[in-house]
Amino acid sequence: TDTVWLLLQRLARSSEEHTNSRMATLPLYFAGEEQASTATEAIDVLNPATQELILRVPCTTQAEMEAIVDNASVAQKSWREVPVQQRVRVLMKFHALVNEAKDEIAWAIVKENGKTKLDADGDVFRGVEVIEHAMAMPSHMMGEAMEQISRNMDTVTVKQPLGVIAGIAPFNFPAMIPLWMMPIAVATGNAFVLKPSERVPTASMMLAKLATKAGLPNGIFNILHGGKDAVNFLCDHPTVRAVSFVGSGAIGKHVYNRSTANGKRCQCNMGAKNHAVVLPDADRDNALNGIVGAAFGAAGQRCMAISVCVLVGQAKEWLPELEKRVKALKVGNGADKETDVGPMITKQALERAVGIIAASVESGATPLIDGRQVSLAACPQGNFLGPTLLTGVSPLMPCYKEEIFGPVLCVVELPTLSDAITLVNDNPMGNGVALFTKSGAAARKFQHEIEVGQIGINVPVPVPLPFFCWSSSKGSILGDHHFYGKSSIAFHTQIKTIVSRWDFVESTDASTLNFSGR
C-alpha cells in the first residue's frame, strides 16, 4: 500500500510539472508589442478561490529590463515634443477603448484577484476617472508668468516632463492603481514602465495593448514582470527619474529609501489602520451599512478598508445589530454573483491573518464572529477567511497594532468623542478615518482635531476624486507628493523658470531694427 501511495504521489508531481511546463507564460510589453521573455524563472498566477493555475509570470532578465528602459528613454525624447493637446487626444481614445473593454478587464480581475464582479467593476471605473482627469492636462500643465518684474524684464515658469517614470503596483487593485499612474505620466510627456503585481498581471497587459491601439507611440507604456529583483532594478536604474509605489509599509520603505538614495523622486502610498467613529446620534442604518461594506468589501484587502469600529457612549448598544449584518454576508467565489466576501489573495496572506486573530484572542479579544473555520464545499482549496468581528479590543493587541489586510473588524468602545480622537491620533497610520454623526459641532471638532489625511463625515471610505489629492499622512505615506490632483502633476514634471530681458531701441535703420517684441 505504501509503495502504491508513493507511486501515486510521484505521478501527481510529474503531471503537475508537465502542466506547469506547458502553461502559458505571460509576455513582456515594450516597444508597442508583446515580447516573449527569455527568463528561466517564472511565478505561478493562481486563482485564489480555486488554486487553479491561470498562467505564469516571467522574472524578467537583467538584459530585458535594460532594453525596456532604454527603449522607453528613446521614445520619450520624441513624445515630449508632441503638443500636450495631441497627447490628450490619444488618452481620449484610450478612455473610450477602456470603457468598451471594462467588462473583460473586470472578469480578469475576478479570476486573478478573487474579488467580486461588483468590486472589480469599481476597480476599473475608479481608474477610468483618472484617465478623465488626465484628459484636462492642457490646463494642468499651464505655468505662471509675470511681466515687468524689473524694467524690460519678464519671468515665466513652465512645466516639463521628467523622462522615464516607473510604477510598482500592488495586487489589490489590478486596474485602478496602474491607472493612477500611467495616464498622468504619459499625459505630462513622460514614458512609463510598470511592474504590476506578479499575482494579478493580466489587467495591466490589457491596458497596455489598449493604449497602443489608441495611438500611444511605441515605448511610452511598457510592462516588465517579476519580484524583488525587478523592484530593485527600477529603484536603481539611472535613467528612471521617479518611482511611484502603492503597497505594504515594509516594501514601501524599501522602495523609498533605495530610490531616494539614487537621487530619484519617490511617492509611496503604504499601510493603514482606518477607524470609523460612531456617535450615538448617528443614522444607524447609514453607519452600520457603511461600516460593514467598508470593512468586508474586497475581503478587507483595501488600504482604505475600515478595520476598527469605535463605538462612542451609547452607540455600544448597536453591537448586536452590527453582528447581525456581518453574519448575513456570504463568503464565496468572486465569480458567484451572490458572493459578498471573496478569498484572500494567497495562502500566506490567509495564514498571517489567522495568526493575528489567534494572537489577539489569546490577548483577550472576543471573537463575536469567528471566520477562521469557514469552509466552502464548492471551493475547498480557496483562501477563504470568513468575516470576523473582534470585540473587547485594546490598542496593545495584535489585531489593532497590525494591518491585517483581511475581512476582520475590531470593535473598541470609548466613552467620549475626545477619547476617540485621541485613540485615532495615537495610531501611527494616517490614511483614512470616518465619523458618523448628525451633529455639525461634533463633525467640526473631529475634522479639525483629527490627524489623518482623508476624513469622511458620514462617508465610510473617503476616497477623493482624482482632481483632489490623495492626502494620506503620517506612516501611510513617504514622499513629498501625493497621488491625484495638482500634487501628482508636480510629481511628474520639472519646473523651469525663464527670466528674460529685452531692451527695445526705436530706429528707422533696417539694419538695426529690433524685432524682438512679442
Side-chain angles (χ1 to χ4, degrees):
T1 303
D2 289 343
T3 303
V4 172
W5 174 244
L6 289 171
L7 178 59
L8 288 173
Q9 285 185 310
R10 198 171 295 123
L11 287 171
R13 282 197 300 270
S14 176
S15 175
E16 182 180 355
E17 289 169 2
H18 180 63
T19 299
N20 287 351
S21 67
R22 292 186 304 146
M23 178 58 61
T25 299
L26 204 64
L28 311 172
Y29 197 90
F30 70 102
E33 62 183 0
E34 293 181 336
Q35 301 202 30
S37 173
T38 61
T40 56
E41 295 182 31
I43 301 167
D44 292 344
V45 178
L46 304 177
N47 183 324
T50 65
Q51 302 307 302
E52 167 200 0
L53 179 61
I54 302 169
L55 50 81
R56 310 188 79 208
V57 171
C59 295
T60 313
T61 68
Q62 180 74 19
E64 289 166 344
M65 292 190 289
E66 293 279 0
I68 290 171
V69 171
D70 289 348
N71 180 263
S73 181
V74 171
Q76 191 272 336
K77 289 176 172 59
S78 297
W79 180 240
R80 64 169 286 154
E81 301 301 329
V82 175
V84 62
Q85 66 270 29
Q86 292 183 29
R87 299 198 296 259
V88 164
R89 289 179 194 130
V90 175
L91 282 182
M92 290 178 177
K93 294 176 183 176
F94 178 57
H95 176 267
L97 291 172
V98 173
N99 270 317
E100 289 174 10
K102 62 184 179 183
D103 205 52
E104 185 181 357
I105 297 170
W107 277 117
I109 293 171
V110 171
K111 190 172 185 179
E112 293 180 352
N113 173 279
K115 64 175 65 177
T116 65
K117 178 59 162 51
L118 184 63
D119 275 334
D121 288 338
D123 190 330
V124 179
F125 177 74
R126 295 308 298 264
V128 167
E129 289 182 320
V130 183
I131 305 173
E132 293 166 353
H133 172 57
M135 285 158 55
M137 197 55 68
S139 295
H140 300 322
M141 288 283 285
M142 291 178 67
E144 298 176 313
M146 178 174 286
E147 68 172 358
Q148 206 69 358
I149 60 164
S150 186
R151 186 170 298 278
N152 296 331
M153 292 181 67
D154 307 326
T155 298
V156 175
T157 63
V158 297
K159 301 174 185 176
Q160 294 187 330
L162 293 179
V164 177
I165 309 290
I168 302 168
F171 75 85
N172 57 333
F173 285 97
M176 185 184 78
I177 301 299
L179 289 174
W180 274 14
M181 303 173 181
M182 171 267 182
I184 305 298
V186 303
T188 49
N190 300 287
F192 184 64
V193 179
L194 173 67
K195 194 209 85 67
S197 167
E198 61 274 20
R199 305 294 178 191
V200 291
T202 299
S204 293
M205 292 294 291
M206 295 171 75
L207 292 171
K209 287 184 278 189
L210 291 174
T212 298
K213 185 177 180 181
L216 194 67
N218 297 345
I220 299 303
F221 184 10
N222 312 273
I223 295 178
L224 57 81
H225 303 291
K228 184 177 180 180
D229 288 345
V231 169
N232 288 342
F233 172 85
L234 294 174
C235 295
D236 293 344
H237 198 287
T239 300
V240 175
R241 295 289 307 281
V243 178
S244 293
F245 169 87
V246 178
S248 71
I251 299 175
K253 290 174 184 176
H254 170 80
V255 168
Y256 181 81
N257 291 335
R258 190 155 183 155
S259 295
T260 55
N262 285 307
K264 304 182 191 305
R265 288 186 186 176
C266 190
Q267 56 179 358
C268 293
N269 271 18
M270 307 183 299
K273 199 67 179 178
N274 307 313
H275 299 64
V277 177
V278 184
L279 298 188
D281 71 333
D283 181 305
R284 184 176 302 198
D285 285 338
N286 179 58
L288 294 181
N289 288 338
I291 291 168
V292 170
F296 301 105
Q301 298 173 119
R302 299 188 290 202
C303 67
M304 288 294 286
I306 293 295
S307 55
V308 181
C309 176
V310 184
L311 300 177
V312 176
Q314 294 305 307
K316 65 184 179 182
E317 296 175 1
W318 300 4
L319 188 56
E321 182 63 27
L322 177 61
E323 178 187 11
K324 178 182 176 182
R325 297 183 192 216
V326 175
K327 282 183 175 178
L329 297 172
K330 180 182 177 181
V331 180
N333 191 327
D336 181 351
K337 65 180 181 180
E338 302 298 323
T339 293
D340 298 305
V341 180
M344 297 186 68
I345 189 66
T346 63
K347 292 291 185 189
Q348 293 80 7
L350 173 61
E351 291 168 1
R352 177 180 177 274
V354 167
I356 292 173
I357 294 170
S360 301
V361 172
E362 289 177 6
S363 299
T366 300
L368 197 60
I369 301 175
D370 193 339
R372 289 176 289 175
Q373 304 305 319
V374 69
S375 178
L376 276 69
C379 303
Q381 302 300 316
N383 309 326
F384 293 102
L385 175 64
T388 298
L389 190 62
L390 298 177
T391 61
V393 172
S394 76
L396 297 178
M397 293 179 180
C399 61
Y400 186 86
K401 293 193 295 183
E402 299 286 338
E403 182 182 25
I404 304 173
F405 224 60
V408 181
L409 180 62
C410 303
V411 178
V412 177
E413 298 177 10
L414 292 173
T416 69
L417 175 59
S418 293
D419 292 325
I421 291 172
T422 298
L423 176 76
V424 175
N425 287 348
D426 285 346
N427 194 278
M429 298 301 169
N431 210 30
V433 67
L435 173 70
F436 290 90
T437 183
K438 291 179 181 176
S439 168
R444 172 67 173 76
K445 173 182 173 67
F446 186 82
Q447 68 190 43
H448 179 67
E449 296 181 11
I450 209 75
E451 296 169 4
V452 174
Q454 296 171 124
I455 304 165
I457 305 298
N458 298 315
V459 175
V461 184
V463 173
L465 290 172
F467 34 86
F468 291 96
C469 284
W470 183 282
S471 49
S472 299
S473 63
K474 301 199 295 187
S476 294
I477 187 170
L478 283 173
D480 295 328
H481 296 87
H482 295 273
F483 289 89
Y484 284 9
K486 295 178 181 178
S487 184
S488 181
I489 310 303
F491 177 78
H492 290 91
T493 58
Q494 178 66 52
I495 294 292
K496 183 181 286 186
T497 302
I498 303 103
V499 180
S500 59
R501 174 176 174 173
W502 295 100
D503 295 321
F504 184 80
V505 178
E506 194 72 55
S507 174
T508 57
D509 184 351
S511 64
T512 61
L513 278 177
N514 188 327
F515 293 102
S516 61
R518 289 179 292 277

